[in-house]
Amino acid sequence: MNTQQTIAKTDWRSEWFEFDDVAYMNTAGQAAIPKVAVRAAQAAIEWKKYPHKMPDSLQFELTGRVRQLLAEMIGAQPAEIALTTGASTGMAAVAQGIDWKPSDEVLIARGRFD
């Protein structure tokens, strides 16, 4: 089964913590975190206790695996995927790569969160 088939068959509701009697909408400011991210953060904290014991593969191959999985999920190539620390950092990286001219304009959404 390929990644897209696995994603399509996953019951994503089980990957989130339950919210009782609430519709939580503040995902831009303080988003809920899926269970898989909690497990990954806990594992990273454990590795930080003894960083000299962390296998190089965790540090250097993980981003490649993430880019590959994201590319498969959205029908792109891994080289087209950039991983950044957040949306603002990603937008800044893109902006720095554009050959700007003095007459160019930048349009942003009112109330943008960054």
Side-chain angles (χ1 to χ4, degrees), residues 20-84:
D20 294 327
D21 301 322
V22 67
Y24 188 75
M25 307 293 272
N26 188 18
T27 58
Q30 193 57 261
I33 186 169
K35 293 175 183 178
V36 67
V38 170
R39 291 189 298 272
Q42 289 169 335
I45 290 168
E46 288 301 312
W47 281 114
K48 291 291 186 179
K49 289 179 183 177
Y50 306 102
H52 60 287
K53 294 182 179 181
M54 181 174 29
D56 286 345
S57 63
L58 282 179
Q59 188 169 356
F60 298 110
E61 294 173 14
L62 179 61
T63 56
R65 288 196 332 253
V66 169
R67 291 171 66 220
Q68 177 64 43
L69 289 170
L70 287 171
E72 288 176 21
M73 188 168 68
I74 65 171
Q77 296 298 313
E80 297 173 304
I81 306 291
L83 301 176
T84 66

